[in-house]
Amino acid sequence: MPSQGIFITGLGIISPLGRGRTATLQAIKTAASGIRTTNIFGVSIDQEVPVAPVDRPVESEDSIPRTHALALAAARDAVEGKHRAPDAIVIGVTTGGMPKTEVALREKNTVPETYAYHGAGTVATYLASRLSCTGPAIALSTACSSGTAAIKIAIEMLRQNKAASVLVGGVDALCRFTYFGFYSLQLLDPAGARPLDKDRAGITLGEGAAMLLLEAAQNPPPGSLARILGGGISCDAYHPTAPHPTGEGALTAMRDALSDAGLPVSGIGYINLHGTATKDNDASEAKALRSLFGDDMPPLSSTKGMTGHSLGAAGAVEAALCALSVAEGIIPGNIGCTVPDPSLGIVPILATESRPVKAALSNSFGFGGNNAAVVIGALDTGADRLPRTQPKHLTITGLACLTGSGELFPSFEQFSQGKSVAGILTDEAISKDLPQRQVRRLKRLPRMALALATAAYKHAGTTAGPSSIFFGTGWGPLTETYDFLTKLFDSDMKFSSPTDFINSVHNAPAGQVAMEFKSRGANMTATGGDYSFEQALLIAGLLASEREELLLFGADETHHILSPLLDPSSAGDPVPSDGGGAIMAIASSDPVTAPSILPLGYAQAPDDPGHTVMNALGLTRDITDHYGAVFAGIPAAHEALARQQLTGFLEDSGFRGPVIDYRKYTGQYAAASAVATVLAVQTLIAGSIPAGLTGNSGISLGNKGILVMGFGPYCTALGVRPS
């Protein structure tokens, strides 16, 4: 297989510095800053703090939140002049539709359509619909590392020939939720962000979006700006918000990025720091840099003194700035820093300089200890890399699930008898095997996550916890989100809960699991609505290393107020339900000696009658040779479409085995596919489809697996295979 490079062939950026390449470069050259004091939300708090808003008007539809409008503006610029849609979209995001949701909740709006774009995953699917992308549309939510982590996923999609072009980036918009959340943590600097300054006192919240169109090719395609050389991901597994004081996780991410890029430390000509301007973050990053570069420190700066901290967008915005740096020979100044902190042991470039940069390293770190780094090089920098050899199997070693009927075995017993496992397990039942110290300050979803991880670990009987964690959740921690906003609104924007804010981020449950098991590898949270678990599996297949032990799980909670507003499928469910499923696995290229799981297909539902689900997912008729049953996911909100798709699939594939409508048993919630997958594995172990599910005698699977499929706006397929 010939070696290939990954090239940035399109770039869109909209930030407090302006929109587009020209405006952004001009702002950098003139040391402009988008930070300003403004009463953006029309409220009074003890001390108004500055923000970094996007001033340029953003054209948008009335129904979409500002987050989506910013993302679309950047995406349109990135694909301008291209004659074909990207094969996939990967976007990092934390706020999703919160700018609109929080207003609707404050007004006590109970019309579900108002919340149609609340989910963070809707940013990716909205872009896909507007840009005619029919492949995977993945939303990653790993707090402030989201945009950079998304780039690493895109790199692997291209290297492993899962796509020829990927639109990747990050977006977040200013909203009350994050503004008052960070204010409650006392992390906002009244003087504005001063990265690396001796008197720095916190961040300035910003907003924006950056999208990079990446293409794999042997030579730079026309219009190429720069190339992506490699990326690294790690987790501190240390604290929900604070970085590891020695910078261990940051150091690992940077080392892995350089190794992935095939570059020595001497090959880096510029470092764009995470540089949030908080005491702890700057100190931790500085220690990691000194450990990696020693006395040969390259020029470095944080650009958050210009752009503010745009959370999930930050890594993508800064990757775009690095691409401009290597393309234009410019190093942005560390605006906001007057006197560098001597205790850090690093000295930033204070004023913008013009000098050649062959390769740049960009760092992003976030809540939950999630770290990501990416290396961007000039078009003539770095050696083209052969695709990384990936493990062929995720061999299953442990299982767990939580349903209204309880844990794995009682749930499977009910399911085997054709009885529903829908419902809501009590918090006490979920937490019964967890030490009180773990759950004292945690609410429903993170408790679910810890219970699932602990049970899967025990079932695996392993002595070591998972190295990497891949989590799928459609809605994240709803209880914390609602409690935070309720207290904020009831106090007329004067009081909020820092604990609820910390635990409200989508990746908080996975962060809790990482801390419990000291999992310092990748810690990825995908949030794609009904397809979140499938996205997590897809990401695991891209990032897992040979012989690595990993945890793959999905979970969602029901909330009596938010769930009916946000999830149209759960709104009509006669039995409110929630739960999750977890799988411990080992990534391996060895022959499978136990059941295994693998992603088979992920695509937008075809709207052309001649373009079938089979074609969209890349499946062939020989699938019936390998699978003896289908577990079909039929979301209630899309039942007519989903059943039509299922019928078409059965006709096209010629499949004649049993088909189990699993949501009829699990209930209607986003993570139902995670539960269904665990139940499918347990069915595979039993060797036959129980009589309770077929209405007749049990049906032997022989040596065939079970196909778990999702239908609706997107179609997905994953395979559970026997040994």
Side-chain angles (χ1 to χ4, degrees), residues 61 315 442 490 652:
E61 303 166 3
L442 302 180
D490 288 348
D652 292 341

Side-chain angles (χ1 to χ4, degrees), residues 26 56 95 210 238 343 364 392 483 538 576 579 635 645 695:
Q26 181 62 24
R56 183 185 179 93
T95 59
Y238 170 73
S343 70
S364 296
K392 297 177 182 177
D483 290 352
L538 190 155
Q645 293 166 340

